Short mmCIF file of all heavy atoms in Angstrom, two decimals:
data_model
loop_
_atom_site.label_atom_id
_atom_site.label_comp_id
_atom_site.label_asym_id
_atom_site.label_seq_id
_atom_site.Cartn_x
_atom_site.Cartn_y
_atom_site.Cartn_z
N MET A 1 -24.89 10.11 -24.77
CA MET A 1 -23.63 9.50 -24.34
C MET A 1 -23.91 8.25 -23.50
O MET A 1 -24.78 8.27 -22.66
CB MET A 1 -22.82 10.51 -23.53
CG MET A 1 -21.32 10.28 -23.63
SD MET A 1 -20.40 11.72 -23.03
CE MET A 1 -20.16 11.26 -21.33
N ARG A 9 -11.94 -1.44 -10.03
CA ARG A 9 -10.66 -2.16 -9.98
C ARG A 9 -10.15 -2.37 -8.55
O ARG A 9 -9.48 -3.34 -8.27
CB ARG A 9 -9.60 -1.43 -10.80
CG ARG A 9 -9.72 -1.68 -12.29
CD ARG A 9 -8.74 -0.84 -13.05
NE ARG A 9 -9.15 0.56 -13.10
CZ ARG A 9 -8.36 1.57 -13.43
NH1 ARG A 9 -7.11 1.34 -13.74
NH2 ARG A 9 -8.80 2.79 -13.46
N PHE A 13 -8.09 -5.37 -4.49
CA PHE A 13 -6.98 -5.12 -3.57
C PHE A 13 -7.21 -5.74 -2.20
O PHE A 13 -8.27 -5.58 -1.60
CB PHE A 13 -6.75 -3.62 -3.39
CG PHE A 13 -5.65 -3.32 -2.41
CD1 PHE A 13 -4.33 -3.48 -2.78
CD2 PHE A 13 -5.95 -2.92 -1.13
CE1 PHE A 13 -3.31 -3.24 -1.87
CE2 PHE A 13 -4.94 -2.68 -0.22
CZ PHE A 13 -3.62 -2.83 -0.59
N THR A 22 -12.50 4.20 -6.09
CA THR A 22 -11.70 5.33 -5.63
C THR A 22 -11.27 6.13 -6.85
O THR A 22 -11.49 5.71 -7.99
CB THR A 22 -10.40 4.90 -4.88
OG1 THR A 22 -9.42 4.55 -5.85
CG2 THR A 22 -10.65 3.73 -3.97
N PHE A 27 -3.71 2.34 -9.02
CA PHE A 27 -2.85 1.70 -8.03
C PHE A 27 -2.86 0.18 -8.20
O PHE A 27 -1.81 -0.47 -8.13
CB PHE A 27 -3.33 2.08 -6.62
CG PHE A 27 -2.53 1.47 -5.50
CD1 PHE A 27 -1.24 1.88 -5.24
CD2 PHE A 27 -3.09 0.48 -4.70
CE1 PHE A 27 -0.50 1.33 -4.20
CE2 PHE A 27 -2.37 -0.07 -3.65
CZ PHE A 27 -1.07 0.35 -3.40
N GLY A 34 3.68 -5.07 -11.17
CA GLY A 34 4.87 -5.25 -10.34
C GLY A 34 5.39 -3.99 -9.69
O GLY A 34 6.54 -3.93 -9.26
N LYS A 35 4.54 -2.96 -9.60
CA LYS A 35 5.00 -1.71 -9.01
C LYS A 35 4.09 -1.25 -7.89
O LYS A 35 2.87 -1.27 -8.03
CB LYS A 35 5.03 -0.60 -10.07
CG LYS A 35 6.08 -0.78 -11.13
CD LYS A 35 5.96 0.31 -12.16
CE LYS A 35 6.93 0.10 -13.31
NZ LYS A 35 6.60 0.99 -14.44
N THR A 39 1.33 8.78 -4.94
CA THR A 39 1.11 9.96 -5.78
C THR A 39 1.87 11.15 -5.20
O THR A 39 2.12 11.22 -4.00
CB THR A 39 -0.38 10.33 -5.91
OG1 THR A 39 -0.96 10.44 -4.61
CG2 THR A 39 -1.13 9.27 -6.72
N ASP A 54 -6.28 13.99 -4.45
CA ASP A 54 -6.45 15.39 -4.09
C ASP A 54 -5.49 15.73 -2.95
O ASP A 54 -5.39 14.98 -1.99
CB ASP A 54 -7.89 15.66 -3.65
CG ASP A 54 -8.91 15.21 -4.68
OD1 ASP A 54 -8.94 15.81 -5.76
OD2 ASP A 54 -9.62 14.22 -4.41
N GLU A 64 0.64 13.24 -9.75
CA GLU A 64 1.28 12.27 -10.66
C GLU A 64 1.73 11.07 -9.85
O GLU A 64 1.95 11.16 -8.64
CB GLU A 64 2.45 12.91 -11.39
CG GLU A 64 3.57 13.37 -10.44
CD GLU A 64 4.66 14.15 -11.17
OE1 GLU A 64 4.57 14.30 -12.39
OE2 GLU A 64 5.60 14.61 -10.48
N GLY A 89 -7.70 -16.14 8.43
CA GLY A 89 -6.87 -17.17 7.81
C GLY A 89 -5.44 -16.73 7.58
O GLY A 89 -4.58 -17.56 7.31
N ALA A 98 6.81 2.08 7.64
CA ALA A 98 8.20 2.29 7.24
C ALA A 98 8.39 3.71 6.71
O ALA A 98 7.53 4.26 6.02
CB ALA A 98 8.60 1.28 6.16
N THR A 125 11.88 -3.19 1.70
CA THR A 125 11.38 -2.67 0.43
C THR A 125 9.90 -3.01 0.37
O THR A 125 9.44 -3.95 1.03
CB THR A 125 12.10 -3.33 -0.78
OG1 THR A 125 11.91 -4.75 -0.69
CG2 THR A 125 13.58 -3.02 -0.77
N ALA A 126 9.15 -2.26 -0.42
CA ALA A 126 7.73 -2.54 -0.61
C ALA A 126 7.58 -3.29 -1.92
O ALA A 126 8.05 -2.83 -2.96
CB ALA A 126 6.93 -1.24 -0.63
N PRO A 132 -3.32 -15.94 -2.16
CA PRO A 132 -3.82 -17.24 -2.64
C PRO A 132 -5.19 -17.13 -3.32
O PRO A 132 -5.51 -17.91 -4.22
CB PRO A 132 -3.92 -18.07 -1.35
CG PRO A 132 -2.95 -17.44 -0.41
CD PRO A 132 -2.95 -15.97 -0.74
N ASN A 133 -6.00 -16.15 -2.92
CA ASN A 133 -7.34 -16.02 -3.52
C ASN A 133 -7.33 -15.17 -4.79
O ASN A 133 -8.39 -14.81 -5.31
CB ASN A 133 -8.32 -15.45 -2.49
CG ASN A 133 -7.94 -14.06 -2.02
OD1 ASN A 133 -6.97 -13.48 -2.49
ND2 ASN A 133 -8.70 -13.51 -1.11
#
Side-chain angles (χ1 to χ4, degrees):
M1 208 165 93
R9 280 175 286 164
F13 178 76
T22 80
F27 179 70
K35 291 177 185 168
T39 53
D54 306 293
E64 62 187 358
T125 57
N133 62 3

